[in-house]
Amino acid sequence: MQCSCTSYGRSTSTADNRTITTRQADGRYIVHFPFTHDQPPIGESYHLAHTRLIHLESRLSKSTDHRQDYNGAMQDYLDSGHMSYVKNTEGIDNTSFYIPHHGVVKSGSTTTKLRVVYDASALSSNGKSLNDYLFIGPKLQQDLPGIILRFRLHAVVFTTNIKQMFRHIVVTPKHRPYQRLLFRFQPSDPVQTYEMSTVTFGQRSSPFLAIRTLHQLAEDEAKAYPNVQKVIYQDLYVDDVVTGADSEEEALKLQQEVIKVFERGKFELQKWSSNAPALLEAVPIKHRKTDNFTFDEPQSDYTNVLGLNWEPNLDMLSYPYRPNPVRFTKRAILSEIARIYDPIGLLTPVITNLKRLMKYLWSIGVGWDERIPDDAIDAWTRYHEELPLIGSIRMRRRSTTPGATYEVHGFCDSSENAYAAAVYLFSARTKWHQSLPTVNGKV
């Protein structure tokens, strides 16, 4: 059973206009794919999907655990109603698309260890893929630095995650044939054809569809909760909610309103973390990311917040970083630079020196896998020995002070080697108490 729902109207892009939405009677959202054509002229894709399935089975045969995990993931799709069996026909027209798939193991995950990813970029017989016929959609995602900086403004904060967000957004039945896949639970079984009934990983339009659906949820269900609308529009990064309030009472109220609104769209929130015990006590234990420990004890219990380490008990942020073994090639140095995660620019002085080294190697024409000269080896060795110190950098999560007034100061400078800008938030409680808690820089 379906009921009509106001179509998306915040954006006037072609992708938005093609993404018509309805809702099921239980409140779950149904989306249409933003195709570039009313009926995309996709070529035959069954045989490539079958070949890729055989290759997948060959890899899975090398590990019993991986085979069990993969079967478990596919069975979960069936049990949840997110995938269904269809008559096994080798579609050769352009009304269906068979998507190859593979598994991505997330060793650090506390919930889903294996995620099935769908290769919608696989080419059909006409040289075009499903993704070639999908609009990517306008950019709706908030910039990561802004979300983290806002997270540092609140006195009481909480983070939570939307459980299986993509899989709780339904695809309209007429577009499901474009999400067919081949699978069998044992190599001795016949190959079966299935259709995915929800938004899947690997399609270029999926992030847009998911975020746009949440924006629609804010319009439909959060008009009476303006703070929840603000969270959805400003403090949401894909499926992670990172937000807070000025007091524990306000944070508790916001938490309950967020839960209520997301429940109306059939989205479940899990992995709750907070620097206030009361907010953890307000959710079931199974939905907490960390146990409800005593916050005044000087023990570390790290929680990942958009790539940074956060210790809720001490309310401190730090950088997760472990360098690779030292190698003396330009490719290895660039790889190490790329591994330094610095969303708000605090490590700019470190990264700048490494980029200067890369610039020097480019200027003298060193190849990607060629051994770098001795002077560069000496410099890179010193840098590499000090890089683990990044993991020891810790900063207060909160960059505001109660009762303070604020000023923003910006500085920039340049030389022949580099240029950079830094922005400081200057807070003053009294004439004699001043602090500079936040700095952001870019090269």
Side-chain angles (χ1 to χ4, degrees):
M1 179 178 180
Q2 301 178 11
C3 60
S4 298
C5 170
T6 304
S7 63
Y8 295 158
R10 183 172 292 266
S11 170
T12 58
S13 73
T14 304
D16 225 2
N17 291 336
R18 288 179 177 269
T19 309
I20 304 170
T21 265
T22 55
R23 293 181 76 173
Q24 294 182 165
D26 64 356
R28 200 179 306 271
Y29 284 90
I30 307 171
V31 298
H32 294 214
F33 289 146
F35 281 124
T36 58
H37 300 67
D38 289 335
Q39 185 172 330
I42 299 178
E44 188 273 328
S45 55
Y46 180 94
H47 292 94
L48 174 63
H50 188 276
T51 299
R52 292 276 295 271
L53 174 65
I54 301 303
H55 291 164
L56 171 66
E57 291 180 335
S58 177
R59 293 194 300 271
L60 293 178
S61 67
K62 299 175 183 177
S63 172
T64 302
D65 290 342
H66 285 173
R67 180 78 214 198
Q68 291 178 347
D69 290 343
Y70 210 97
N71 285 358
M74 300 304 280
Q75 188 63 51
D76 181 64
Y77 270 99
L78 288 170
D79 295 342
S80 302
H82 301 160
M83 180 173 79
S84 60
Y85 169 77
V86 295
K87 185 178 180 180
N88 193 356
T89 58
E90 300 185 12
I92 58 174
D93 56 21
N94 60 1
T95 62
S96 62
F97 188 81
Y98 291 82
I99 307 179
H101 50 93
H102 63 277
V104 175
V105 178
K106 301 189 298 178
S107 58
S109 174
T110 58
T111 52
T112 306
K113 297 296 183 182
L114 183 142
R115 172 178 290 174
V116 179
V117 178
Y118 303 91
D119 184 8
S121 294
L123 301 181
S124 66
S125 60
N126 69 355
K128 297 289 186 178
S129 69
L130 176 62
N131 276 341
D132 289 329
Y133 295 106
L134 289 171
F135 284 113
I136 195 171
K139 181 182 180 297
L140 301 179
Q141 178 61 65
Q142 286 288 310
D143 291 331
L144 182 58
I147 295 176
I148 294 176
L149 290 176
R150 284 191 292 273
F151 181 64
R152 302 189 66 192
L153 299 179
H154 306 293
V156 180
V157 292
F158 62 84
T159 67
T160 186
N161 172 268
I162 305 172
K163 181 180 179 181
Q164 298 178 335
M165 179 175 70
F166 283 12
R167 292 175 57 179
H168 286 83
I169 302 172
V170 178
V171 172
T172 185
K174 73 175 184 178
H175 285 170
R176 293 177 192 176
Y178 295 100
Q179 293 195 140
R180 287 187 176 177
L181 62 91
L182 303 177
F183 188 69
R184 54 185 173 185
F185 288 90
Q186 296 297 332
S188 58
D189 296 339
V191 174
Q192 304 284 0
T193 298
Y194 298 92
E195 278 183 1
M196 306 300 298
S197 59
T198 61
V199 174
T200 61
F201 298 94
Q203 294 178 9
R204 66 192 307 229
S205 60
S206 292
F208 160 72
L209 289 173
I211 298 173
R212 194 63 190 85
T213 296
L214 295 181
H215 286 191
Q216 188 67 38
L217 175 68
E219 294 181 18
D220 293 342
E221 304 292 352
K223 290 181 180 179
Y225 308 104
N227 287 333
V228 177
Q229 286 189 326
K230 185 177 179 181
V231 167
I232 293 175
Y233 291 134
Q234 297 185 2
D235 297 338
L236 186 70
Y237 191 78
V238 189
D239 56 358
D240 288 317
V241 177
V242 180
T243 191
D246 291 334
S247 68
E248 184 175 287
E249 180 180 1
E250 292 174 339
L252 278 167
K253 182 173 182 291
L254 177 61
Q255 179 191 42
Q256 295 308 308
E257 290 175 349
V258 167
I259 292 173
K260 182 184 298 185
V261 169
F262 276 81
E263 281 181 345
R264 292 176 179 175
K266 294 302 176 182
F267 293 105
E268 182 181 2
L269 299 176
Q270 61 175 0
K271 299 182 181 179
W272 288 87
S273 292
S274 177
N275 62 340
L279 271 74
L280 290 182
E281 294 169 356
V283 297
I285 294 177
K286 67 178 181 179
H287 289 165
R288 302 173 193 171
K289 191 168 186 179
T290 56
D291 293 334
N292 190 10
F293 49 85
T294 302
F295 277 69
D296 58 2
E297 292 182 359
Q299 62 184 28
S300 295
D301 195 345
Y302 285 109
T303 291
N304 183 279
V305 178
L306 303 183
L308 294 176
N309 284 335
W310 174 43
E311 299 173 80
N313 55 333
L314 301 177
D315 213 6
M316 300 290 290
L317 293 173
S318 61
Y319 286 89
Y321 179 74
R322 293 180 181 178
N324 286 320
V326 63
R327 291 179 295 149
F328 300 108
T329 65
K330 190 169 69 174
R331 188 186 304 277
I333 296 174
L334 183 61
S335 175
E336 205 63 44
I337 294 174
R339 293 182 66 248
I340 300 176
Y341 179 75
D342 185 29
I344 55 178
L346 297 182
L347 299 179
T348 296
V350 176
I351 299 174
T352 299
N353 284 330
L354 295 177
K355 289 183 176 180
R356 289 178 60 188
L357 176 59
M358 282 294 298
K359 181 179 179 181
Y360 167 68
L361 296 176
W362 275 106
S363 68
I364 62 176
V366 176
W368 279 109
D369 298 306
E370 181 182 349
R371 186 176 175 85
I372 60 179
D374 290 343
D375 57 342
I377 288 177
D378 292 340
W380 175 229
T381 300
R382 291 196 303 272
Y383 287 141
H384 194 273
E385 289 175 349
E386 296 178 358
L387 284 178
L389 295 175
I390 292 175
S392 66
I393 298 175
R394 299 168 76 245
M395 72 196 92
R396 287 185 299 150
R397 190 274 313 165
R398 188 181 182 188
S399 60
T400 56
T401 306
T405 57
Y406 299 95
E407 298 174 0
V408 176
H409 296 262
F411 302 88
C412 62
D413 200 358
S414 64
S415 69
E416 292 182 357
N417 294 317
Y419 62 91
V423 178
Y424 293 83
L425 178 66
F426 181 94
S427 66
R429 281 186 295 185
T430 68
K431 182 178 180 180
W432 310 108
H433 183 90
Q434 299 176 337
S435 62
L436 296 172
T438 302
V439 59
N440 191 11
K442 295 291 182 183
V443 174

